[in-house]
Amino acid sequence: MCGINGYIDFDLSPDHGKHLVNKMNSHLVHRGPDGKGTFIDGNIGLGHTRLSIIDLSVSANQPMTSLSKRSTLSFNGEIYNFINIKNELSKSYNISFNTSSDTEVLLNLLEYQGVDRALDQIEGMFAFAFNDSKTQCLYLARDRFGEKPLFYYLKNNKLYFSSELKPLMSVLKDSLTINYKNLDFFLKKSYLPIDESIFNEIRKVKPGQYLKIGYSDNVLSVSEHCYWDYGKLVIDSLQTKKESDFLFHKEQLKDLLKDKVNQAMISDVPLGAFLSGGYDSTCMVALMQSAKMNAVKTFSIGFDDKDFDEAPFAKAIANHIGTDHEELYVSRADLLDLIPKLPEIYSEPFADSSQIPTVLLSRLTRSHVTVSISGDGGDEIFGGYGRYVLGERVKSFFNYLPLHLRNFIKSTNSIDLSYQLC
């Protein structure tokens, strides 16, 4: 992963702006240890810290400015289908590329075809800031499911944004106040609202959306645009679904997963995979191994407490598939020692029960490879958690209760009946 940040602030001089961008970059070094850069143009600043994955040369560093000097991009993530897009751009516009990076492909796609057409084509996980000096617009975009974070502060005709809260806290700390409503929300649901943060003044770009910020005449004009709506996609799919299509869709899903795993494996640095032994990670690793001649490097974590230890399942899968498997067993003391460091690792309140072992597993993995693929998201997409079935049952049960009883339960706040689609 990389780190991005920047601002539009009409009260800043270019020198002061560069100082602030460098300050924000310093808080994102852990995201991008291989390089850092700044771009300052009048009252606009962009910053970037780089984790080199594709094209390790300095020519692929960011922020990257187009050959025409019209556009500049600061980009975090990967565009999996960038090779196909690159070929189409070369054919359609006779573009000569200076790097083999997906960053340069995305930059040219945005400049030549515009943000809407570009977002309709790209496949991957990303958050980016794209500045078009000709139209005097800055675009902040986030991938379809929000895999890559993007926070922003928009107040008093100023815009600041970053991949994490810490850079924004470092330059805006006197302007930030705790959002106690969201704190209450977090304590009830163990997560924050999809487009908000723990601060009143900082929001998040929503998954599948982008912000267009115009900055002509020293005035910011902001509009929010949705380029992909999974809710509408699901509804449309259900309306056209036919039972006889099951086998067809089963094979289609298999081909789609195989294709996407192959795209995600494009890398100029060592690559591996998290393996828990569950369906999702096993599926990913099996597809990875089928596409490689050499053994895929896989990693898992184990616990002394057998009730929580999944390492034997992961090892059995690794032996069956034939991966080069590494495992790390951690003790109770290892877990407790990590807890004081969590606020430095997760910049906002985070309640995932797997956060501690994930950090330890990531450390093990990083000592062997730079990039690791995982099966995260599989349970959410395919309904792999029992809570989804239980939730529907509870919802159905409450529908049979008299209205006055439902209102009483809601008024006591003993059970939170509200929910948020995200």
Side-chain angles (χ1 to χ4, degrees):
M1 60 183 175
C2 299
I4 69 173
N5 62 72
Y7 68 86
I8 302 176
D9 191 334
F10 303 109
D11 296 330
L12 289 184
S13 67
D15 287 342
H16 190 197
K18 186 173 183 178
H19 168 74
L20 287 184
V21 171
N22 283 328
K23 186 176 182 179
M24 289 193 283
N25 277 349
S26 69
H27 290 280
L28 296 176
V29 171
H30 59 285
R31 297 183 69 92
D34 299 328
K36 60 182 178 179
T38 61
F39 168 83
I40 307 295
D41 182 17
N43 301 113
I44 297 175
L46 301 178
H48 189 269
T49 61
R50 185 184 182 199
L51 176 66
S52 303
I53 297 175
I54 300 173
D55 191 336
L56 311 185
S57 71
V58 295
S59 299
N61 283 351
Q62 299 181 52
M64 182 180 288
T65 299
S66 64
L67 291 176
S68 69
K69 307 299 181 183
R70 168 181 171 174
S71 308
T72 303
L73 176 68
S74 185
F75 159 58
N76 168 34
E78 289 187 68
I79 306 301
Y80 297 136
N81 62 332
F82 78 98
I83 294 178
N84 292 337
I85 295 174
K86 183 176 183 178
N87 293 336
E88 289 297 322
L89 289 173
S90 298
K91 186 188 306 181
S92 300
Y93 303 101
N94 196 29
I95 300 173
S96 296
F97 290 87
N98 295 321
T99 74
S100 58
S101 69
D102 54 348
T103 304
E104 188 180 13
V105 173
L106 178 58
L107 174 60
N108 279 280
L109 181 66
L110 289 164
E111 178 168 299
Y112 278 85
Q113 297 193 2
V115 173
D116 288 298
R117 287 184 63 189
L119 289 170
D120 189 50
Q121 294 178 62
I122 58 178
E123 300 171 6
M125 52 180 183
F126 58 84
F128 67 73
F130 172 70
N131 180 54
D132 186 336
S133 61
K134 182 178 180 179
T135 61
Q136 293 189 296
C137 288
L138 177 72
Y139 298 85
L140 301 180
R142 196 172 175 199
D143 60 64
R144 295 176 178 181
F145 282 100
E147 289 184 72
K148 295 299 183 181
L150 188 50
F151 298 87
Y152 69 93
Y153 168 97
L154 183 60
K155 194 175 181 181
N156 300 325
N157 207 38
K158 303 177 190 292
L159 170 75
Y160 284 80
F161 65 89
S162 181
S163 295
E164 294 186 7
L165 281 177
K166 284 180 287 186
L168 298 178
M169 293 165 63
S170 72
V171 298
L172 298 168
K173 56 184 177 182
D174 295 333
S175 304
L176 303 180
T177 56
I178 297 294
N179 186 321
Y180 290 102
K181 179 181 177 181
N182 285 349
L183 177 59
D184 178 66
F185 186 99
F186 174 79
L187 293 174
K188 288 178 180 177
K189 297 179 178 289
S190 299
Y191 63 90
L192 289 166
I194 194 168
D195 60 339
E196 299 183 27
S197 78
I198 197 64
F199 295 110
N200 288 298
E201 298 79 9
I202 296 179
R203 299 179 65 84
K204 302 170 191 170
V205 177
K206 295 178 184 177
Q209 298 198 9
Y210 71 86
L211 298 182
K212 179 181 179 181
I213 305 103
Y215 53 85
S216 61
D217 300 322
N218 287 4
V219 176
L220 296 184
S221 60
V222 183
S223 57
E224 188 177 68
H225 303 262
C226 179
Y227 69 88
W228 191 80
D229 184 349
Y230 73 87
K232 183 177 182 301
L233 190 71
V234 170
I235 292 172
D236 291 344
S237 176
L238 290 173
Q239 290 175 344
T240 58
K241 180 180 178 294
K242 297 179 181 178
E243 293 300 326
S244 59
D245 291 337
F246 175 76
L247 292 178
F248 167 77
H249 289 302
K250 178 181 176 181
E251 289 302 313
Q252 189 179 47
L253 175 61
K254 180 180 177 181
D255 293 340
L256 185 64
L257 286 173
K258 184 176 181 179
D259 181 50
K260 299 312 166 189
V261 168
N262 288 344
Q263 288 181 343
M265 290 173 64
I266 298 175
S267 173
D268 293 330
V269 294
L271 179 142
F274 293 164
L275 179 60
S276 67
Y279 289 128
D280 44 11
S281 65
T282 298
C283 177
M284 295 300 102
V285 170
L287 291 171
M288 289 175 68
Q289 190 60 72
S290 68
K292 289 195 67 174
M293 295 293 293
N294 300 324
V296 173
K297 291 185 176 295
T298 54
F299 305 90
S300 65
I301 196 165
F303 302 95
D304 295 333
D305 188 336
K306 301 303 180 184
D307 291 335
F308 298 98
D309 186 23
E310 296 180 341
F313 302 106
K315 189 171 185 178
I317 292 295
N319 290 337
H320 178 73
I321 296 175
T323 69
D324 180 6
H325 191 60
E326 294 278 347
E327 58 184 11
L328 172 68
Y329 272 83
V330 295
S331 65
R332 179 184 178 88
D334 294 325
L335 300 175
L336 292 175
D337 288 343
L338 184 61
I339 290 176
K341 302 173 185 175
L342 291 178
E344 291 298 317
I345 298 171
Y346 301 103
S347 66
E348 66 173 338
F350 186 60
D352 191 323
S353 59
S354 66
Q355 60 180 292
I356 297 176
T358 297
V359 172
L360 296 172
L361 178 60
S362 297
R363 288 178 179 175
L364 167 67
T365 304
R366 187 63 177 93
S367 66
H368 295 269
V369 300
T370 305
V371 179
S372 185
I373 296 175
S374 77
D376 279 0
D379 284 313
E380 287 78 4
I381 293 174
F382 296 105
Y385 292 122
R387 68 174 73 107
Y388 297 133
V389 177
L390 179 61
E392 285 298 315
R393 290 177 179 174
V394 171
K395 182 180 176 182
S396 298
F397 170 76
F398 277 109
N399 288 337
Y400 289 107
L401 294 179
L403 180 60
H404 69 275
L405 182 55
R406 278 182 278 167
N407 289 334
F408 172 76
I409 293 173
K410 184 176 182 180
S411 66
T412 62
N413 208 28
S414 57
I415 301 177
D416 191 348
L417 298 179
S418 65
Y419 68 92
Q420 177 170 329
L421 183 63
C422 63

